[in-house]
Amino acid sequence: MKSKTLATWLAFLGGPFGLHRFYLHGMGDWLGWLLPFPTLVGAYGVLRMWSLGQNDPVSWVLTPVLGFTFAACCLTAIVYGLRTPEQWNARFNPQAAPDAPAGRTRWATIWAIVMALMVGAGVLMTSIVISFQGYFEHQVEEGRRISQ
């Protein structure tokens, strides 16, 4: 039986590493194995930004990749948590009754949805800001260079 609450928390906390995919679809899930790559690429961008500063064009391109991956996993957690027990059990527990306890929404599920919404929205907005700030600062510097 696949628990909706556990899948929601795994998507929120371990989603960028594919933990929710492995839990729901098994270790053979190719998307679960692909999720760590954009996570690591984005983490490399964050490390570059910390060591080289925000003026590094590579870091302002790579850093949002981590944020977008995490925000997508938060959205997945919200979608999982908001499924009805009938939808959840039909998709992930087809052998169980439609109202089986594994698909029920509990307080832990609601807290996972709330946390995923708060953190996911913040991470998404931060990623957009970092990306656009780097782009526009680069454009201003190019404009100054051309005008001189």
Side-chain angles (χ1 to χ4, degrees):
M1 298 290 283
K2 307 290 185 189
S3 168
K4 178 169 76 169
T5 302
L6 181 58
T8 303
W9 277 105
L10 284 174
F12 173 57
L13 297 174
F17 296 104
L19 296 182
H20 63 293
R21 301 285 308 183
F22 295 137
Y23 174 68
L24 293 173
H25 304 287
M27 295 301 287
D29 183 53
W30 63 273
L31 189 57
W33 288 107
L34 287 179
L35 273 171
F37 292 111
T39 302
L40 295 174
V41 165
Y44 174 68
V46 170
L47 290 175
R48 278 186 67 104
M49 187 175 291
W50 282 345
S51 62
L52 300 175
Q54 287 185 340
N55 294 333
D56 179 40
V58 175
S59 67
W60 57 259
V61 170
L62 295 180
T63 299
V65 173
L66 176 64
F68 294 144
T69 302
F70 191 77
C73 291
C74 286
L75 178 61
T76 302
I78 294 167
V79 169
Y80 284 168
L82 292 178
R83 283 191 178 184
T84 64
E86 293 80 17
Q87 291 173 330
W88 180 264
N89 288 325
R91 173 74 171 100
F92 297 110
N93 299 316
Q95 73 283 6
D99 61 345
R104 291 192 187 142
T105 302
R106 295 167 170 62
W107 279 107
T109 314
I110 294 169
W111 280 109
I113 294 168
V114 169
M115 295 297 294
L117 183 60
M118 288 187 337
V119 173
V123 167
L124 179 63
M125 296 308 294
T126 303
S127 300
I128 292 170
V129 166
I130 288 173
S131 181
F132 281 118
Q133 178 185 359
Y135 173 75
F136 287 120
E137 285 178 357
H138 179 72
Q139 292 299 320
V140 167
E141 289 301 319
E142 287 298 315
R144 286 184 184 154
R145 188 181 63 78
I146 290 172
S147 69
Q148 292 178 358

